[in-house]
Amino acid sequence: MKINLLSCDAQRPDRRAISKCIAEFSSSSDEALSNELTDILLEGDAVVIEMKDKNSGSALRAFRKLDLDYEIIE
């Protein structure tokens, strides 16, 4: 499943939690890449990640908890 992370609406976004979430649920992301993707997302650009299908429900709940806006691509 591909997810397009659009933006973060949190007043004070938790970079570490967002990065950890991306690293945990992405099928092709390591810690360094997830940190870079977090920086890109918080600067205002959208980020596309490929997710592991078995964790999709947990990932979507985690993204909502972090106030991340997303759309499911496929």
Side-chain angles (χ1 to χ4, degrees), residues 34-46:
S34 65
N35 287 333
E36 186 175 329
L37 292 175
T38 300
D39 290 340
I40 292 169
L41 179 65
L42 294 178
E43 288 174 1
D45 294 326

Side-chain angles (χ1 to χ4, degrees), residues 13-59:
D14 186 350
R15 286 181 181 271
R16 184 181 298 155
I18 295 170
S19 178
K20 183 179 177 184
C21 188
I22 291 173
E24 182 178 347
F25 295 115
S26 176
S27 61
S28 62
S29 179
D30 61 2
E31 187 175 335
L33 181 57
S34 65
N35 287 333
E36 186 175 329
L37 292 175
T38 300
D39 290 340
I40 292 169
L41 179 65
L42 294 178
E43 288 174 1
D45 294 326
V47 174
V48 176
I49 60 170
E50 180 79 32
M51 290 181 29
K52 304 169 191 168
D53 286 332
K54 66 178 184 171
N55 295 331
S56 61
S58 298

Side-chain angles (χ1 to χ4, degrees), residues 1 13 20 60 72:
M1 174 188 299
K20 183 179 177 184
L60 297 179
I72 299 172

